[in-house]
Amino acid sequence: MTNQNDTATVTAVAAAASAHASASTSVSASAFRALHTPGTPLVLPNAWDVASARVVRAAGARAVATTSAGLAWALGTADGDRLTRDRAVAAVAAIVDAVDVPVTADIESGYAPDAAGVADTVRAVLDAGAVGVNIEDARHGPGEPLRPLAEQSERIAAARKAAGAAGVELFVNARVDTYLRGVGEGPDARLALTLERAAAYLAAGADGVFVPGAVDPATVAALVEGIDGPVNVMAGPGAPPVADLAGLGVARVSVGSGIAQAAHALVRRAATELLAEGTYGALADGLDYGELNELFGG
């Protein structure tokens, strides 16, 4: 039979462990925040599972960012707010446990229909050990492509409040999908709309602004000049090199689902070659088995 002393001991140990985890998360959050320096951008090769996260870390990444699309695909789900919160957070927790650097999670629009649900998601992400989130303003399905400005600002404010209550300086990266969704009649209107949304999200508690779909140097320069906070650009083939983006004042460069897409393209090339030709050329540049296995303690 468990006596009261045993119960008290277990409770004390659990409380101490929770306090230690919270302190560790706070330290990681501060370190992650400090990496966002305009002109010396944080470069994030996005990961989608434990294996990709460890490979990214071994390549020298100072932090690991998840790709919501890559993560959803790895879990057998389409991207676009179709993944459940529990499954997404469990995947993030596994990535956090697998690397020794800060992890920021792409939580799509918050895995919730309202601001209160976004706060619940943020609490779960913090419990998983992540110290940053991306929250997008895109809507999936019929209707307008973006959430109303006031509604999205409320969702960001809820995320900030939840993180504040937890005592963690969570880096809230507010994603503005005006360029990705082609919202706004013409370049000037699109830029103005983007800057309006960016200002509102920063006022609501966001720490940085993520504008995927904008890679033209003149546009990026205008965004950096017009946004009073760190600017995140999503790069890929056709985008300026990181050094050029740094020269424009960008504080963070990520690649979204790009690496996951490239990895799956290799799977298709290798499978097609093997099945159609019976040859193995696509496998020639694979990681050494021993090197890869060693990343997992083998």
Side-chain angles (χ1 to χ4, degrees):
M1 178 180 293
T2 302
N3 60 36
Q4 290 183 339
N5 288 337
D6 289 339
T7 301
T9 299
V10 170
T11 301
V13 169
S18 177
H20 176 75
S22 178
S24 176
T25 300
S26 293
V27 170
S28 182
S30 295
F32 182 66
R33 179 177 295 274
L35 295 175
H36 294 77
T37 305
T40 311
L42 170 62
V43 180
L44 296 168
N46 300 72
W48 59 94
D49 60 11
V50 167
S52 59
R54 288 207 169 167
V55 170
V56 164
R57 172 61 182 128
R62 296 183 291 168
V64 170
T66 67
T67 157
S68 63
L71 191 148
W73 298 333
L75 295 175
T77 303
D79 188 30
D81 283 335
R82 292 178 173 88
L83 193 60
T84 64
R85 175 196 294 146
D86 289 347
R87 295 186 73 203
V89 171
V92 170
I95 291 172
V96 170
D97 288 343
V99 296
D100 60 352
V101 291
V103 173
T104 182
D106 183 340
I107 60 171
E108 303 191 47
S109 63
Y111 301 121
D114 54 25
V118 172
D120 289 338
T121 298
V122 165
R123 283 187 282 269
V125 167
L126 289 172
D127 286 344
V131 295
V133 292
N134 285 3
I135 304 177
E136 65 190 52
D137 60 5
R139 296 202 318 191
H140 301 279
E144 293 298 319
L146 303 182
R147 291 184 186 276
L149 182 59
E151 178 187 347
Q152 185 65 10
S153 296
E154 182 183 1
R155 293 166 75 88
I156 289 171
R160 170 54 58 214
K161 185 176 180 180
V168 177
E169 287 188 289
L170 179 75
F171 192 97
V172 178
N173 202 32
R175 178 171 139 176
V176 184
D177 276 349
T178 44
Y179 284 88
L180 201 61
R181 291 299 190 93
V183 179
E185 295 295 332
D188 291 343
R190 186 166 299 158
L191 175 62
L193 180 59
T194 303
L195 296 180
E196 178 190 13
R197 283 185 170 255
Y201 300 161
L202 290 169
D207 299 288
V209 176
F210 179 26
V211 189
V215 294
D216 171 72
T219 301
V220 172
L223 290 170
V224 170
E225 181 180 358
I227 294 174
D228 188 21
V231 173
N232 179 183
V233 169
M234 184 170 74
V242 170
D244 291 357
L245 293 172
L248 295 171
V250 170
R252 175 165 160 174
V253 179
S254 51
V255 293
S257 60
I259 296 176
Q261 290 174 252
H264 294 311
L266 174 58
V267 172
R268 183 169 66 180
R269 283 198 305 274
T272 299
E273 179 189 359
L274 180 60
L275 294 170
E277 307 295 335
T279 55
Y280 326 103
L283 306 180
D285 294 325
L287 277 175
D288 176 74
Y289 171 88
E291 179 185 359
L292 190 54
N293 204 42
E294 189 175 350
L295 291 177
F296 299 91

